[in-house]
């Protein structure tokens, strides 16, 4: 049974059109269930349309249409549950469609096809003999309907998209609001290093293709090296330079070419050489040499991408693009030149995945969960992305483009208005000073205007410098990075978080394979298991700060008091060693923990005895309190920081921190959302840390409200039973103060 189910599901999923898929579905289901008839009805504009059948009159396909209020099929759709009848003719809802030639069938079993609460259609099996279908048959049909739902929904979407030529529309979830008008750059998913072994027919032509691909990869690496050199990041620059030389004829490049001369296609040649070297390096005892496997892998993938998707990343310097891809990862976005990136559209990803946070930090409109977008051949087409509304338009008409250009200039004018006040402090109308800090570190290099308007850096994520390297950065390399961060803050405080890799931020050279990475080896857990790495990071941070008192150190993903105690021992060790050996004037930095694992909320008394401050990571706190993966588009509708449970937890955290005199800030995305910031201020938070793009907006907003009125608003919000109603109340408040345009 399982095999039959799998075969049917696979053949539906691999069909190119909805018609073909349904055709094969009815034939295979009828045969698998040994019945006389199988039909599928698809819901189109509130009508159930007979879309494929094996048993009814073929000419009725497309012609039999019924509203949900009619017939037995309508009843299944209406009730959203299966119906199993020994004799359908006896049921009061039975309706005969003469054109379908249905009167010979008595037994009737039907199941709704539902994808994520949305009814797509109904599958029906019928038999001439009056008999009840047995439980096994009923279960089979229901399982089949559930398994097919996703494939049918995908094919249905594709059919809808292709049928509207002049104004193709895609829908998705907003990850970073804003509007972009630009041409598409479609970049396929991950390119596997294991390519099929294919022999080349024309050796010279293959060698020529390979040379071109190597040349383009070398150009791209050189450009990266120059960019990082421009950003004063010499370490990174020299790494890309070294990688570029590795592709020379005397090195890997020559090995690839030799394989082509032996008769392999260019792709097979790169794949064969890469896999061979990766295996050899990974088997080595020396840790440094073992890590070189990731260089080989990286280079192989770069050259393969140039062979398989030639010219993808060769961007026209004058034209920004809307990047369309399966799933953007942080290092891909960090490498992408900001001025070329007008917007981001992805099939996968979550609203609070780090790539989405990065898009917001960069102020780039982004939309995620856009199904079938990679199949739609969008490359080089003109797109309008209205991320706030969850809309992507393909090849829009000139009048629509004009309309959006006007909208864009209105938005730019608003942004200028917000920026004008950035130098003024965030002071509410009734005189409460809110300190606004910057979240930094998701971009390579540090934004030069970091200090403007911010009271300091409230969260510096150290992961990216680690992710862009080919190995763990050395102590001196880290010191340089951290020094540049401290310098950019121009004497204002900087909260540096120790490494929080794992989850959706893997290190290319330190692969971690886990079933549930967000519940796994992440943040402080990894650091405490590798004191040699942790100590280097702590030493580097403290040396970068020297005798300045501006550095604070923050520990991520803390879930127990023991972890804090252990981390403090390492901090003491690193501090005492440095003070004795390197700098007697060294300052011991204040230490804090992220409040993102719910259990810690209930131990704030113990936390307060040990650390100087806490920072609420509302992204992870929401993920863990609601048990909703922040990266999974299927459940992104459930990821809601306005959920009353989350709001109450945040209020309670603040109250307890005040009781224990523990300094507290919020550095999750909620702090940078206008509605979130209002509620946090209402609760009494006075330190909010957010990305550069939100800073001016939140400052502008807070300068126009009274905390007193926000407290009243909060009282009402906390009486709501769900997040949606809570948001609605805040939106109404903003409208009543003529501030709703800040929501974009
Ligand atoms: C958070 O979890 O809210 C947070 C700020 O950390 P990150 O998004 O890097 O996990
Ligand atoms: Mg976090």
């Amino acid at each position: 049974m399982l095999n039959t189910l799998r075969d049917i599901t696979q053949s539906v999923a691999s069909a190119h059109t909805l018609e073909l898929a349904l055709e094969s579905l009815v034939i295979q289901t009828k045969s698998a269930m040994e019945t006389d008839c199988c039909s599928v009805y698809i819901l189109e504009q509130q009508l159930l349309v007979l879309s494929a059948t094996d048993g009814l009159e073929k000419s009725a396909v497309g012609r039999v249409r019924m509203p949900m209020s009619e017939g037995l099929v309508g009843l299944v759709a209406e009730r959203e549950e299966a119906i199993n009848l020994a004799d359908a003719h006896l049921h009061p809802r039975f309706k005969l469609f003469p054109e379908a030639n249905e009167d010979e069938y008595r037994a009737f079993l039907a199941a709704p096809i539902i994808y994520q609460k949305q009814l797509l259609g109904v599958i029906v099996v019928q038999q001439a003999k009056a008999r009840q279908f047995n439980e096994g048959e009923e279960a089979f049909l229901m399982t089949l309907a559930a398994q097919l739902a996703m494939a049918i929904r995908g094919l249905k979407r594709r059919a809808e998209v292709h049928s509207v030529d002049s104004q193709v529309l895609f829908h998705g979830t907003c990850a970073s609001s804003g509007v972009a008008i630009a041409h598409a750059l479609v970049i396929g998913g991950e390119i596997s290093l294991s390519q099929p072994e294919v022999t080349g027919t024309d050796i010279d032509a293959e060698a020529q293709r390979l040379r071109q691909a190597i040349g383009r990869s070398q150009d791209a690496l050189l450009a990266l090296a120059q960019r990082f050199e421009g950003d004063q990041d010499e370490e990174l620059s020299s790494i890309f330079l070294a990688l570029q030389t590795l592709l020379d004829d005397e090195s890997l490049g020559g090995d690839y070419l030799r394989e082509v001369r032996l008769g392999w296609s260019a792709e097979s040649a790169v794949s064969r050489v890469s896999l061979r070297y990766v295996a050899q390096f990974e088997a080595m005892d020396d840790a440094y040499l073992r890590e070189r496997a990731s260089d080989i892998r990286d280079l192989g993938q770069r050259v393969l991408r140039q062979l398989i998707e030639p010219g993808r990343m060769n961007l026209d310097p004058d034209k920004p693009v809307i990047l369309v891809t399966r799933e953007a990862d942080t290092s891909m976005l960090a490498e992408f030149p900001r001025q070329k990136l007008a917007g981001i559209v992805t099939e996968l990803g979550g609203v609070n995945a780090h790539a989405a946070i990065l898009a917001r930090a960069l102020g780039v409109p982004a939309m995620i969960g856009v199904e079938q977008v990679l199949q739609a051949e969008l490359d080089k087409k003109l797109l309008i992305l209205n991320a706030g509304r969850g809309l992507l338009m393909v090849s829009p008409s000139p009048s629509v483009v004009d309309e959006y250009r006007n909208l864009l200039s209105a938005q730019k004018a608003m942004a200028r208005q917000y920026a004008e006040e950035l130098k003024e402090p965030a002071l509410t109308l009734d005189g409460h000073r809110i300190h606004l800090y910057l979240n930094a570190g998701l971009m390579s290099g540090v934004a030069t205007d970091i200090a403007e308007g911010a009271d300091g850096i409230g969260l510096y994520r150290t992961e990216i410098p680690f992710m862009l390297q080919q190995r763990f950065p050395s102590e001196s390399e880290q010191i340089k990075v951290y020094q540049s961060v401290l310098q950019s803050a121009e004497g204002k405080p900087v909260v540096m978080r120790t490494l929080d890799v794992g989850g959706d931020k893997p290190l290319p050279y330190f692969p971690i394979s886990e079933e549930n990475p967000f519940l796994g080896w992440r943040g402080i857990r990894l650091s405490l298991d590798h004191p040699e790495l942790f100590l280097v990071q702590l030493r580097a941070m403290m040396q970068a700060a020297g005798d300045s008192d501006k550095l604070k150190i923050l520990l991520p993903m803390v879930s127990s008091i023991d972890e804090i105690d252990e981390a403090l021992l390492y901090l003491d060790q690193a501090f005492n060693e440095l003070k004795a050996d390197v700098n007697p004037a060294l300052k011991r930095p204040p230490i804090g923990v992220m409040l993102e694992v719910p259990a810690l909320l209930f131990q704030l008394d113990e936390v307060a005895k040990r650390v100087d401050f806490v920072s609420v990571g509302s992204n992870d706190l929401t993920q863990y309190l609601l048990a909703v993966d922040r990266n999974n588009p299927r459940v992104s509708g459930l990821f809601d920081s306005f959920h009353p449970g989350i709001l109450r937890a945040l209020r309670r955290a603040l109250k307890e921190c005040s009781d224990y005199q523990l300094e507290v800030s919020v550095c999750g995305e909620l702090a940078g959302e206008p509605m979130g910031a209002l509620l946090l201020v209402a609760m009494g938070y006075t330190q909010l840390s957010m990305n550069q793009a939100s800073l001016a907006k939140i400052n502008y907003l807070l300068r126009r409200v009274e905390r007193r009125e926000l407290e009243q608003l909060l009282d009402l919000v906390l009486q709501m039973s769900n997040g949606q109603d809570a948001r609605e109340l805040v939106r109404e408040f903003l409208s009543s103060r003529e501030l709703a345009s800040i929501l974009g």
Side-chain angles (χ1 to χ4, degrees), residues 168-190:
V168 181
L169 277 185
F170 286 89
H171 299 270
T173 308
C174 176
S176 171
S177 64
V179 169
I181 309 172
H183 288 86
L185 172 76
V186 181
I187 296 186
E190 166 91 349

Side-chain angles (χ1 to χ4, degrees), residues 478-497:
Q478 289 187 50
I479 292 176
K480 275 195 200 153
V481 175
Y482 305 149
Q483 266 169 348
S484 71
V485 177
L486 285 154
Q487 265 162 21
S488 73
E490 295 180 347
K492 295 176 181 167
V494 175
V495 179
M496 281 194 194
R497 188 172 72 180

Side-chain angles (χ1 to χ4, degrees), residues 352-354 357 439 442 459 461 463 497 500 504-505 518 522 554 556-557 594-596 615-624 630 639 666-670 689:
N352 276 291
H354 283 89
I357 295 179
N439 285 354
L442 276 179
L459 170 67
R461 292 178 167 100
E463 293 79 66
R497 188 172 72 180
D500 186 22
D504 64 345
K505 288 176 293 186
F518 276 113
R522 240 197 108 175
L554 179 62
M557 270 297 286
M594 293 282 294
L595 203 53
E596 46 191 356
S615 190
V616 181
S618 55
N619 309 335
D620 278 315
L621 189 62
T622 305
Q623 147 165 279
Y624 296 129
R630 63 196 263 188
F639 188 99
V666 182
C667 65
E669 292 296 291
L670 189 65
S689 192

Side-chain angles (χ1 to χ4, degrees), residues 51 62 108 147 296 412 500 575 665 719:
S51 301
F108 175 98
Q147 285 200 357
I296 308 285
K412 283 194 183 133
D500 186 22
F575 174 71
S665 61
Q719 287 168 28

